[in-house]
Amino acid sequence: MTAVTAEHTADTTHQAHFDAAVAADERIEPRDWMPDEYRSSLVRQMAQHAHSEIIGMQPEANWITRAPSLRRKAILMAKVQDEAGHGLYLYSAAETLGTSREELLDKLHSGRQKYSSIFNYPTLTWADVGAIGWLVDGAAITNQVPLCRCSYGPYARAMVRICKEESFHQRQGYELLLALSQGTPAQHDMAQDAVNRWWWPSLMMFGPPDEESAHSARSMAWKIKRHSNDELRQRFVDICVPQAEALGLTLPDPDLRWNEERGHHDFGAIDWDEFWQVLKGDGPCNEQRITQRRRAHEEGAWVREAAAAYAAKTASDKAERNEAQVEATA
Amino acid sequence: MITAADAPALPALPLGDDALVLSHRLGEWAGHAPVLEEEVALANIALDLLGQARILLSLVGDEDELAYLREERAFRNLQLVEQPNGDFAHTIARQLYFSTYQALLYGQLATGDGELAPLAAKAVKEVAYHRDHAEQWTLRLGDGTPESHARAQRALDALWRFTGEMFQPVAGLDVDWQDMRASWTSSVTAVIERATLTVPSGPQSGAWAAGAGRQGLHTESFGRMLAEMQHLHRSHPGASW
């Protein structure tokens, strides 16, 4: 009984420290005490974020071998490489919470953890690469910039680095679309068609409406999240409208108009049935994306085993050499 | 369209084609690598090579016209670099053979005073990294598990017959090709033996001994690779991207 009470008191003290730190906008670090739910909620969010970087390589890598100029090909390769790097940062950040990359990848491969639903849409033309840069990366940045102030230190620091690179990708995507929009009529049509297909899925990236968002309230109280889904979605729409105009492209929403009273753009209803369907696994590319990821992992197993076996051998060789050296010295 | 007959005969062209084609093959790995670190590494090498290709091709003409509007008979790359990726061991064997060659070639060119010396001086630093990557993986695969050992040996054997082509003189390059062959052989032999593997004993060139890739004679998969690479560019003649 005494032990339980002591533990209870210690937890209460810890909780009070934690709450005070969060309230004071201080960063929570890996060795600090944190509530179990805070830890598991962060693991879930950071893993999903890391998985999205890794799965997100696929729709763009789909166009590397067909990029229409060497300059564009170099830009696209660099971007896909950056995404792998972002995945690595985020897995490392998640590991500070006591999980491992292997465990997280296993959960991705077995469908127990998710990735962003946007990557379940196909890249059908070259212009999709630009639309992903402008809209998908744009939405990601809108979501992620506030995460640079997230209460968990390792996540916040990873986001600072990631956001810098993402902003660069976003400008490149915009510039790609601009070149198409101002190009031949066929190129302009290709750009418009891509924007038509990516606009609504991009708005869905902010997650369900506030009243249906399961984790929002708690994440905001913990200062993992700083703004609600709908707030960020509105901010994104307001940013995109003038950009679309500058591009000479239209956004596929007849209800989109400036609302003087609100000081924001009103926009049409999102097809939430489609959102939930894609999230459940029934989107256009869910099966394909996860199958490719699993296959890369399974077909690479012998390579990882070889690296591990070699590392073990060279480590034991080194140990033997050291031992021999110690004996010789003695 | 640029056909075999009017492909320029400058030495930057074959070297540019090597880099362009190998970069493309490595780009095919994106999203398929055995471990995330290799997604980064293979893309990194592909990007370095693409950078080299762009500089080299620009010395010859318009980089995009040369990359996208030539037919396969007008390409001057080694057959080695156009070989399909195969499994990871094949990709690494191809990298080992080629990066060793490139390191020696650029090393020689960098010390000369030819047109390519400045490019070579920059590229040797990149190529040293590529070579180290290939050597480290050859050791891990060769001296890893029985399966990786067998796969690494198969890959070295399968690609061996494309290595002889590397030592045929390229017109306009001031390089000691005999010395190059000797240095390449001793360097590659050392790595293969350290990896507990066997240096292949077959011939270093197949039936297309007469210049092969350098003369525009390629293997079958190359045409398909170009079809994919050039399709979009060719579908929109005159467009800018």
Side-chain angles (χ1 to χ4, degrees):
Chain A
M1 270 318 268
T2 326
V4 171
T5 314
E7 203 174 281
H8 179 78
T9 317
D11 266 6
T12 318
T13 319
H14 281 138
Q15 181 76 50
H17 274 294
F18 174 84
D19 291 342
V22 170
D25 266 337
E26 282 167 22
R27 290 281 158 79
I28 307 299
E29 295 298 337
R31 287 162 193 272
D32 294 342
W33 184 92
M34 61 189 86
D36 290 344
E37 297 78 18
Y38 177 83
R39 187 184 297 274
S40 59
S41 184
L42 271 172
V43 170
R44 184 184 52 79
Q45 185 175 338
M46 290 161 75
Q48 182 169 328
H49 196 160
H51 299 333
S52 301
E53 298 283 357
I54 301 309
I55 297 284
M57 295 168 70
Q58 291 183 30
E60 294 177 285
N62 183 37
W63 280 92
I64 286 179
T65 53
R66 293 175 289 168
S69 75
L70 297 186
R71 174 171 166 266
R72 294 291 178 196
K73 187 173 184 164
I75 291 173
L76 184 56
M77 271 185 184
K79 182 180 179 189
V80 173
Q81 183 193 17
D82 280 349
E83 280 158 6
H86 295 172
L88 286 170
Y89 297 159
L90 287 162
Y91 285 123
S92 301
E95 284 182 333
T96 64
L97 291 163
T99 180
S100 70
R101 198 209 296 184
E102 290 67 31
E103 196 180 331
L104 297 175
L105 280 176
D106 186 52
K107 285 184 177 158
L108 168 65
H109 297 153
S110 59
R112 282 175 293 155
Q113 282 177 342
K114 297 196 183 312
Y115 54 87
S116 178
S117 61
I118 193 81
F119 301 119
N120 292 313
Y121 290 86
T123 46
L124 302 177
T125 71
W126 170 250
D128 291 37
V129 172
I132 288 181
W134 176 43
L135 295 173
V136 175
D137 294 343
I141 293 164
T142 309
N143 257 327
Q144 290 170 10
V145 165
L147 285 174
C148 297
R149 294 186 295 126
C150 150
S151 60
Y152 188 57
Y155 195 20
R157 290 189 288 274
M159 291 321 305
V160 171
R161 294 185 65 175
I162 290 173
C163 284
K164 279 183 195 159
E165 293 178 354
E166 291 290 2
S167 309
F168 195 63
H169 298 160
Q170 200 237 358
R171 284 202 296 276
Q172 288 171 328
Y174 184 89
E175 193 252 334
L176 189 165
L177 277 185
L178 189 65
L180 292 180
S181 178
Q182 297 178 343
T184 65
Q187 285 177 306
H188 180 89
D189 290 351
M190 193 193 281
Q192 184 62 60
D193 171 61
V195 169
N196 292 348
R197 283 181 289 108
W198 288 92
W199 174 248
W200 291 107
S202 300
L203 292 191
M204 295 178 196
M205 283 175 69
F206 295 93
D210 291 346
E211 62 272 21
E212 284 172 53
S213 176
H215 306 288
S216 269
R218 221 175 40 173
S219 290
M220 284 177 73
W222 278 331
K223 293 192 181 169
I224 296 174
K225 255 181 111 146
R226 296 278 179 159
H227 310 278
S228 79
N229 294 353
D230 287 333
E231 236 177 286
L232 291 169
R233 188 166 13 242
Q234 179 70 61
R235 185 180 295 178
F236 179 68
V237 171
D238 290 339
I239 292 170
C240 285
V241 170
Q243 290 180 343
E245 244 166 68
L247 279 172
L249 298 171
T250 59
L251 296 170
D253 179 359
D255 297 324
L256 184 66
R257 62 180 58 84
W258 177 250
N259 181 327
E260 192 65 55
E261 223 167 277
R262 293 201 306 124
H264 289 292
H265 291 87
D266 291 336
F267 55 96
I270 289 172
D271 182 351
W272 292 112
D273 287 344
E274 176 180 319
F275 174 79
W276 293 115
Q277 212 184 334
V278 176
L279 210 67
K280 248 180 31 213
D282 297 327
C285 299
N286 299 58
E287 182 60 32
Q288 175 189 331
R289 300 285 186 245
I290 206 70
T291 300
Q292 181 179 325
R293 179 87 266 290
R294 270 195 219 128
R295 189 185 299 143
H297 191 73
E298 283 161 15
E299 287 178 359
W302 69 271
V303 178
R304 295 190 300 277
E305 283 158 18
Y310 179 75
K313 271 185 215 177
T314 44
S316 69
D317 285 355
K318 212 188 250 176
E320 268 171 40
R321 273 201 307 277
N322 286 347
E323 233 166 77
Q325 211 168 11
V326 170
E327 272 170 37
T329 324
Chain B
M1 197 174 59
I2 303 161
T3 60
D6 44 44
L10 296 168
L13 189 69
L15 305 193
D17 284 351
D18 285 347
L20 177 73
V21 171
L22 185 56
S23 165
H24 186 95
R25 284 299 190 206
L26 292 173
E28 293 172 354
W29 269 104
H32 298 274
V35 56
L36 294 176
E37 283 80 356
E38 284 306 300
E39 294 283 1
V40 179
L42 295 173
N44 204 325
I45 297 168
L47 262 174
D48 286 346
L49 290 167
L50 185 54
Q52 293 168 14
R54 295 183 65 193
I55 296 170
L56 287 160
L57 294 182
S58 297
L59 291 172
V60 179
D62 179 88
E63 61 177 31
D64 286 338
E65 267 178 40
L66 287 165
Y68 292 100
L69 298 177
R70 265 184 301 162
E71 299 207 313
E72 64 179 287
R73 291 284 281 109
F75 273 83
R76 294 286 175 259
N77 56 283
L78 298 166
Q79 289 185 349
L80 176 67
V81 296
E82 75 201 29
Q83 294 312 302
N85 288 334
D87 67 4
F88 190 71
H90 278 76
T91 291
I92 291 301
R94 194 181 58 198
Q95 285 302 114
L96 178 71
Y97 291 160
F98 182 73
S99 64
T100 305
Y101 160 78
Q102 222 188 6
L104 295 167
L105 178 65
Y106 284 163
Q108 287 205 29
L109 293 177
T111 57
D113 54 2
E115 191 193 13
L116 301 183
L119 163 97
K122 178 179 175 281
V124 279
K125 293 174 202 143
E126 296 169 350
V127 174
Y129 162 74
H130 305 170
R131 187 183 189 176
D132 184 52
H133 175 263
E135 289 182 358
Q136 294 303 319
W137 271 111
T138 304
L139 294 177
R140 288 189 198 111
L141 298 183
D143 198 11
T145 64
E147 182 184 5
S148 69
H149 180 91
R151 284 181 186 253
Q153 190 64 57
R154 269 204 297 280
L156 290 174
D157 292 346
L159 293 169
W160 186 249
R161 68 194 178 93
F162 299 106
T163 56
E165 215 192 325
M166 296 189 290
F167 313 109
Q168 289 169 3
V170 172
L173 288 188
D174 182 22
V175 166
D176 183 341
W177 299 95
Q178 279 304 105
D179 177 62
M180 170 99 108
R181 181 189 275 271
S183 303
W184 184 89
T185 306
S186 70
S187 169
V188 164
T189 299
V191 179
I192 293 175
E193 286 177 352
R194 260 184 76 204
T196 71
L197 295 159
T198 310
V199 178
S201 53
Q204 279 179 281
S205 54
W208 290 111
R214 292 280 187 244
Q215 310 303 319
L217 293 171
H218 295 279
T219 51
E220 283 186 348
S221 68
F222 185 55
R224 198 165 281 108
M225 191 204 103
L226 285 187
E228 184 174 344
M229 183 173 108
Q230 298 180 337
H231 167 262
L232 178 59
H233 186 98
R234 285 180 183 262
S235 300
H236 296 262
S240 333
W241 301 93

